[in-house]
Amino acid sequence: MKSNYIKLIFAFVCIIIFGSCSDDFLDKKPTEFVDYEGATKTTDNLMTLLNGIHRSLYIRYEGNQNENGLGSLMQQIDIAGDDIVFPVTNGWYLQVYNWAAFSNENSQDLRFQFRTYYRIIRNANTIINAADVSIGSDADKKIVKGQALLYRAFCHYQLVQLFGERYISGINNSQLGVPIILTVGNDKFPRSTVEEVYVQINKDIDEANVLLADYTKPNNSHLDLKVAQGLKARVALTQGNWAVAANYANKARTGKTLMSASDYVAGFNDYSNKEWMWGSHINEVQTDYFGNFGAYMSRNYNSTVIRSCPKAINSKLYNIIPQTDVRSKIFDKTGNHTALSLPSNYAKFPYTSQKFLAISTGDSRCDVPYMRVAEMYLIEAEAKARLGDATAANVLFDFEIMRDPAYVLSSNTGQALVEEILLQRRIELWGEGFRFYDLKRTSSSLDRTGANHDSSIVNGVLTVDATDKRWQWLIPKAEINANPLIVQNPL
């Protein structure tokens, strides 16, 4: 059974890696005859599996074009928040936008999140459980296992934030989280507590921090020590472990630099940007024209969703951004986007975004950012502010002065400084998959009132109290049917 399972994984990963490549691959041994031992025997083979995970982050698994890897998952997280606006009714992600999906156990949107993350976990487990006994150098074993551990930690972290109750610092978080999957070939486990899930997440990240200490990655699709430190900082922020969050965010950004103002308005589409720590570069031979991140979040690609329903920023949020701040330039209050010379059949709406730009109107490729140095500054600043550390404002200043040359050192302290930093997170990380998580971790209510959200489009969902049960997404019914050990969240 185990052998058959790994055959399927290895064959699928090889299709991802080698699909549409040179004909000489056809002469190699058919992947359906590669058993578990063959797939995991050497570190070279494990690296092939790891590269398959890297590339799977922008591959469409299901039939729907809006279910295209992490970029699509990121969109759901921000669309569920208050800072992305649909100016007209749009079929894609509408059930997420109006929160109907979260209380519908048959929702495909829920199933997409659940299945995508657990699929990556299963593939990561194949590597983790074979790395130590594989044939290869110790250095290669560390590289491949360390990255797989980060994938497993990242996915469990995303899942528990969605399907578990929020983590509350200082208590025993015995509320139900998600199943912890560490084995290969058996996914039928009950839900662990939220605390248990975070213990495992931190265990994996801590081990990865050791294994990747000497790794120099070839490009930003790979996960190195800086990414491990950055993920540690993210998790600590969610748990309210402020000292750990500040420490690891500082480690992650040390030696890194923020992008220039000119780079900031260049389209957020190049994973080699010096500020990016982790991202996906969309391979030209594996592009998904109408499923790519750029097919939904760019302003210039020629797709139905972009022509008819371009993404806009919350008008209240935009109007807070000073005109001296470069981030005001990536949104257009008029909606005309004259610099882009948009064709006449592109609908124009106020406050629309041009933060993300596809390669062209005919090519939707747009590299996808998963972690940037800017986030590390903001994590460090927030964590220090919550600790009452007087250097928090200085960290925020070092970040803000790169975005707004007119910014002056904040005189805020305490909760006022925390609120200022959280506001900067909203502006800086717009469209990058953080807003729902930030609202949930801070026990904040959803508030779309007084802005450009259309009540009829969101089906009246302009506010959602922080105590609402919908912050804890339902487990997909199909997963409960397949695994009777899983208990459903309150309906």
Side-chain angles (χ1 to χ4, degrees):
M1 181 70 180
K2 178 180 176 182
S3 176
N4 289 335
Y5 178 77
I6 299 301
K7 288 178 193 176
L8 292 173
I9 290 180
F10 192 68
F12 175 74
V13 169
C14 287
I15 289 170
I16 291 175
I17 295 173
F18 296 109
S20 303
C21 292
S22 59
D23 291 339
D24 61 357
F25 175 68
L26 301 177
D27 298 328
K28 299 186 183 296
K29 184 177 180 180
T31 55
E32 63 266 27
F33 297 111
V34 179
D35 59 11
Y36 176 82
E37 288 71 25
T40 61
K41 186 175 182 179
T42 69
T43 53
D44 284 344
N45 282 352
L46 292 177
M47 194 63 74
T48 298
L49 292 173
L50 180 64
N51 286 333
I53 297 177
H54 293 328
R55 297 191 183 189
S56 73
L57 302 187
Y58 60 88
I59 296 296
R60 189 194 309 190
Y61 289 106
E62 311 290 348
N64 297 325
Q65 69 182 44
N66 65 325
E67 296 177 346
N68 205 67
L70 292 194
S72 296
L73 300 177
M74 288 161 52
Q75 290 175 67
Q76 285 193 0
I77 297 308
D78 274 333
I79 289 168
D82 48 3
D83 290 337
I84 283 186
V85 174
F86 285 6
V88 295
T89 300
N90 170 44
W92 303 114
Y93 303 116
L94 183 59
Q95 299 301 302
V96 173
Y97 191 37
N98 66 24
W99 281 54
F102 312 151
S103 55
N104 176 9
E105 61 183 355
N106 294 308
S107 168
Q108 182 63 25
D109 293 311
L110 298 185
R111 193 174 180 184
F112 172 51
Q113 292 270 357
F114 198 90
R115 287 197 165 185
T116 299
Y117 286 125
Y118 275 116
R119 183 183 289 113
I120 296 172
I121 288 171
R122 290 195 296 270
N123 292 339
N125 283 336
T126 302
I127 297 170
I128 294 166
N129 295 338
D132 291 342
V133 296
S134 63
I135 299 171
S137 69
D138 286 342
D140 285 346
K141 291 178 183 179
K142 290 179 180 179
I143 291 169
V144 74
K145 185 177 181 181
Q147 292 187 70
L149 284 165
L150 286 182
Y151 273 120
R152 187 168 76 183
F154 170 76
C155 292
H156 279 123
Y157 173 55
Q158 302 296 92
L159 286 161
V160 74
Q161 290 180 93
L162 295 176
F163 298 99
E165 292 183 33
R166 64 175 53 86
Y167 190 95
I168 301 175
S169 180
I171 71 167
N172 178 13
N173 286 272
S174 59
Q175 62 271 33
L176 287 179
V178 293
I180 300 172
I181 307 297
L182 308 177
T183 60
V184 176
N186 178 17
D187 292 348
K188 290 181 171 58
F189 289 91
R191 296 173 66 181
S192 297
T193 67
V194 168
E195 190 70 51
E196 289 168 339
V197 177
Y198 275 93
V199 167
Q200 183 61 50
I201 290 167
N202 281 294
K203 182 175 183 295
D204 284 348
I205 296 174
D206 290 343
E207 186 176 356
N209 267 275
V210 174
L211 293 175
L212 297 175
D214 300 318
Y215 175 47
T216 301
K217 62 182 179 180
N219 57 61
N220 279 333
S221 69
H222 292 249
L223 293 71
D224 62 359
L225 178 60
K226 293 295 185 181
V227 176
Q229 292 167 338
L231 187 56
K232 180 74 174 180
R234 271 188 195 175
V235 173
L237 191 73
T238 302
Q239 291 187 275
N241 293 332
W242 312 126
V244 174
N247 180 33
Y248 273 87
N250 181 269
K251 287 181 178 181
R253 72 175 179 87
T254 298
K256 299 281 188 179
T257 55
L258 294 165
M259 71 178 87
S260 66
S262 59
D263 286 339
Y264 205 92
V265 296
F268 272 76
N269 53 17
D270 183 359
Y271 83 147
S272 66
N273 183 300
K274 64 183 180 181
E275 188 178 309
W276 288 32
M277 299 167 64
W278 176 31
S280 281
H281 173 67
I282 311 303
N283 189 310
E284 186 173 5
V285 299
Q286 293 171 336
T287 188
D288 188 338
Y289 294 102
F290 296 105
N292 287 333
F293 186 72
Y296 287 84
M297 290 299 291
S298 76
R299 185 63 186 101
N300 58 324
Y301 180 61
N302 187 19
S303 65
T304 301
V305 66
I306 289 174
R307 291 194 309 270
S308 63
C309 183
K311 303 302 184 297
I313 186 174
N314 181 312
S315 56
K316 286 200 302 185
L317 178 61
Y318 176 83
N319 289 329
I320 294 172
I321 307 174
Q323 288 303 296
T324 52
D325 192 319
V326 67
R327 294 170 299 185
S328 69
K329 308 301 187 292
I330 59 174
F331 304 98
D332 190 335
K333 189 172 183 177
T334 71
N336 291 323
H337 300 274
T338 54
L340 298 181
S341 300
L342 298 176
S344 59
N345 62 336
Y346 280 54
K348 311 297 194 304
F349 299 98
Y351 299 102
T352 43
S353 165
Q354 62 180 57
K355 177 176 181 176
F356 305 102
L357 296 177
I359 288 178
S360 69
T361 58
D363 190 337
S364 65
R365 284 180 295 146
C366 175
D367 292 354
V368 188
Y370 307 135
M371 185 180 290
R372 294 191 291 115
V373 177
E375 181 198 352
M376 298 302 114
Y377 275 89
L378 291 164
I379 289 175
E380 182 181 353
E382 181 185 342
K384 285 184 172 180
R386 292 184 184 277
L387 286 168
D389 188 327
T391 66
N394 298 96
V395 176
L396 180 62
F397 176 82
D398 290 343
F399 165 71
E400 278 295 302
I401 200 67
M402 293 297 293
R403 302 296 188 243
D404 181 3
Y407 182 79
V408 296
L409 181 68
S410 178
S411 59
N412 286 328
T413 59
Q415 187 59 34
L417 181 57
V418 171
E419 294 299 329
E420 180 180 355
I421 295 164
L422 290 174
L423 175 63
Q424 293 305 322
R425 278 184 67 93
R426 293 176 65 185
I427 298 169
E428 179 66 26
L429 301 175
W430 185 94
E432 296 181 50
F434 289 93
R435 187 57 181 158
F436 178 88
Y437 293 141
D438 278 351
L439 287 169
K440 184 170 180 176
R441 73 174 174 86
T442 58
S443 295
S444 301
S445 298
L446 180 77
D447 184 4
R448 296 167 169 168
T449 60
N452 49 336
H453 290 280
D454 187 324
S455 178
S456 65
I457 296 174
V458 296
N459 198 27
V461 182
L462 294 176
T463 61
V464 178
D465 190 79
T467 61
D468 194 290
K469 64 183 180 181
R470 286 174 293 178
W471 289 99
Q472 184 182 2
W473 294 10
L474 293 183
I475 305 292
K477 181 64 174 176
E479 305 306 322
I480 294 177
N481 291 341
N483 179 10
L485 298 177
I486 294 182
V487 177
Q488 182 60 280
N489 289 322
L491 296 169

